[in-house]
Amino acid sequence: MMGGKLGTIWARAGHEIVFSYARSEQKLKRLAREAQGNARAGTPGEAAREADALLLAVHWSRIDEVLKQAGDVSGKVIVSCSLPMNADDTDLVIAHTSSGAEELAKKVPKARVVSAFGTVPSEVLFDVFERRRNATKPSLVYCGDESKSKKTAAELIRDVGFDPVDAGPLRVARYTEPFTLLIAQLAYEGDAGPELAYRFERFARKR
Ligand SMILES: NC(=O)c1ccc[n+]([C@@H]2O[C@H](COP(=O)([O-])OP(=O)(O)OC[C@H]3O[C@@H](n4cnc5c(N)ncnc54)[C@H](OP(=O)(O)O)[C@@H]3O)[C@@H](O)[C@H]2O)c1
């Protein structure tokens, strides 16, 4: 859901995309075909070898396996939207004293991990992209420890149609990941539908 949609959007925004990791290669090929851009299907290893940035968008239980398949990710920017959820997606298995993003960074210490996109439901992504030229854009928080990789992430966020909000170092994922459970509550438990994004407004300080 996240990888397929974001990959499609980035292909349409002009990026070269490799869709990887699914039980069916046919699905990856279909995604590449329907993206209508410079996109193809490949293995996680092929994607990791050639890409400037990798989107990690798998269930928490699949992280070790997908990293193994990706191989050497030294120096790569890994943008992760993966949340550390339990098997039935009802609760975070890491929170408060650490975050999924920090635990991921420990697994791949030579990669440059940025946490982004995990705070919005996949159902809203195409709507945001369609309205990317509107003056008022929804916000999207991201965090990471290294400025160059955060710049790459911010560009990818802008390409989708969000206004990137730098929330600080990777440890801030301790706050953004539980925030997603609030977004999920609003998106999936009400009657209004999951096409939900958020926007922060700042007000000038009165002197
Ligand atoms: N969905 C959302 O709205 C949303 C929002 C925010 C954050 N997130 C987070 O983003 C991450 C991805 O979520 P998602 O909903 O996008 O996931 P998903 O679509 O259910 O799965 C992601 C990919 O993993 C593949 N996969 C699953 N099990 C596999 C296996 N055993 N072998 C090979 N490939 C396998 C799926 O392929 P198959 O086609 O074979 O299943 C799919 O291509 C999660 O950590 C989630 O918590 C999701």
Side-chain angles (χ1 to χ4, degrees):
M1 287 185 272
M2 294 297 282
K5 288 176 183 172
L6 287 170
T8 298
I9 287 169
W10 286 324
R12 290 177 188 172
H15 294 281
E16 186 182 341
I17 296 295
V18 179
F19 288 102
S20 72
Y21 199 67
R23 278 162 284 211
S24 133
E25 202 194 341
Q26 289 316 311
K27 176 185 138 181
L28 298 174
K29 286 186 171 160
R30 180 178 50 76
L31 277 169
R33 214 171 36 247
E34 291 176 0
Q36 300 158 9
N38 190 351
R40 61 191 161 85
T43 64
E46 283 162 358
R49 227 175 0 260
E50 295 167 26
D52 300 317
L54 301 167
L55 175 73
L56 185 69
V58 298
H59 192 270
W60 192 245
S61 58
R62 317 293 326 163
I63 295 271
D64 288 330
E65 191 202 298
V66 82
L67 288 177
K68 198 168 140 210
Q69 289 189 27
D72 185 9
V73 289
S74 305
K76 297 283 178 185
V77 177
I78 300 183
V79 177
S80 176
C81 69
S82 295
L83 297 166
M85 300 301 288
N86 61 9
D88 56 3
D89 281 324
T90 51
D91 216 347
L92 294 165
V93 292
I94 300 163
H96 194 54
T97 54
S98 187
S99 60
E102 289 166 281
E103 296 308 308
L104 168 66
K106 285 183 203 160
K107 290 176 190 286
V108 284
K110 291 184 178 154
R112 299 178 288 161
V113 174
V114 181
S115 172
F117 296 105
T119 52
V120 286
S122 67
E123 289 86 347
V124 82
L125 294 171
F126 284 126
D127 294 300
V128 174
F129 184 61
E130 269 165 36
R131 287 176 227 174
R132 65 193 175 284
R133 293 196 180 88
N134 286 9
T136 304
K137 298 182 192 338
S139 307
L140 194 96
V141 291
Y142 67 107
C143 59
D145 288 335
E146 196 251 342
S147 61
K148 214 171 141 212
S149 50
K150 286 175 83 171
K151 208 167 154 246
T152 302
E155 281 171 30
L156 291 169
I157 292 168
R158 254 182 231 106
D159 284 342
V160 180
F162 291 101
D163 179 23
V165 176
D166 184 349
L170 200 62
R171 73 184 298 283
V172 175
R174 294 175 195 190
Y175 314 134
T176 62
E177 288 173 5
F179 170 72
T180 302
L181 273 61
L182 166 67
I183 298 292
Q185 172 74 21
L186 297 173
Y188 299 116
E189 299 302 325
D191 297 329
E195 295 80 6
L196 176 76
Y198 56 89
R199 191 160 70 89
F200 297 113
E201 288 192 42
R202 286 198 185 274
F203 295 84
R205 203 176 288 161
K206 290 196 180 72
R207 295 185 185 277

